[in-house]
Amino acid sequence: MSWQDIRIETERLILRPPQADDFAGWSAFFADPDATRHMGGPRSEPLAWRHFLMMVGAWSIEAGSAFSLVDKHSGQWLGWTGPWHPVGWPGTEVGWCLARSAWGQGYATEAATAVLDWVFEHLSWDQVIHLITPDNQASQAVARRLGAAVLRRIDMPEPFAGETVDVWGQSREAWQRRRP
């Protein structure tokens, strides 16, 4: 199976590698100062495009990257989540970013749960982390619902040097003990 054919379905969501039509939502997300507050702030459309292409390209090289979150019933793009482990990163991460219209509805937890199952099964990771700024209460709540705990506090590597985050995480074994 090609990476373009990967598709995960949850009760309300379709998770799939980003497609060209997703860029409008991606760009709108990066233009929103509230949505990007915990990830370096808004980006111009050209920078959002480069980020979009970086995530799509990572699928070819790393066999995993951002999944677009799409509402199963409306087809609306809601955000992204997925595995991420670029050179110099402090661990194998699953992160999530949602458009403001999708906040507070449980989508991040639903999507990240599906992605954690996927990375432990298909990428054979032994541990997963979530890098969360100390003031991002919403993402901390998602991490707790996923069963993660704070492991340490770090200064971020490039290109986010100078920003401090908490490293939340758990092992594959801890995740599997929590699953039904």
Side-chain angles (χ1 to χ4, degrees):
M1 173 189 323
S2 165
W3 64 266
Q4 292 103 330
D5 299 323
I6 295 172
R7 180 180 171 110
I8 301 171
E9 289 196 31
T10 68
E11 181 181 336
R12 302 177 296 162
L13 299 170
I14 295 169
L15 285 73
R16 56 161 174 69
Q19 300 172 355
D21 290 347
D22 297 338
F23 181 66
W26 204 283
S27 181
F29 169 84
F30 272 114
D32 184 336
D34 287 332
T36 59
R37 178 179 56 223
H38 300 291
M39 54 179 303
R43 296 181 192 164
S44 66
E45 187 174 47
L47 288 178
W49 176 248
R50 284 168 178 78
H51 185 269
F52 181 75
L53 292 181
M54 175 181 64
M55 292 299 189
V56 172
W59 275 103
S60 298
I61 303 299
E62 297 186 343
S65 182
F67 286 94
S68 280
L69 278 61
V70 179
D71 182 280
K72 193 183 272 189
H73 302 290
S74 71
Q76 178 183 0
W77 183 90
L78 302 174
W80 77 88
T81 184
W84 187 238
H85 190 227
V87 172
W89 217 240
T92 48
E93 182 180 18
V94 169
W96 48 85
C97 294
L98 273 69
R100 193 181 334 185
S101 64
W103 291 359
Q105 299 175 55
Y107 291 127
T109 303
E110 184 176 334
T113 297
V115 170
L116 285 168
D117 285 340
W118 187 84
V119 299
F120 287 134
E121 179 180 346
H122 295 281
L123 300 183
S124 301
W125 287 1
D126 292 325
Q127 181 180 35
V128 71
I129 63 168
H130 318 290
L131 303 179
I132 303 173
T133 58
D135 62 337
N136 188 342
Q137 301 296 317
S139 281
Q140 291 171 19
V142 171
R144 280 189 204 93
R145 284 192 292 276
L146 296 171
V150 176
L151 305 175
R152 63 191 176 278
R153 183 168 280 184
I154 63 165
D155 290 325
M156 287 289 287
E158 291 292 335
F160 301 103
E163 189 171 337
T164 300
V165 297
D166 291 325
V167 179
W168 292 69
Q170 64 185 302
S171 68
R172 171 202 302 265
E173 292 76 25
W175 175 254
Q176 290 173 337
R177 279 194 305 271
R178 297 185 76 246
R179 299 299 287 151

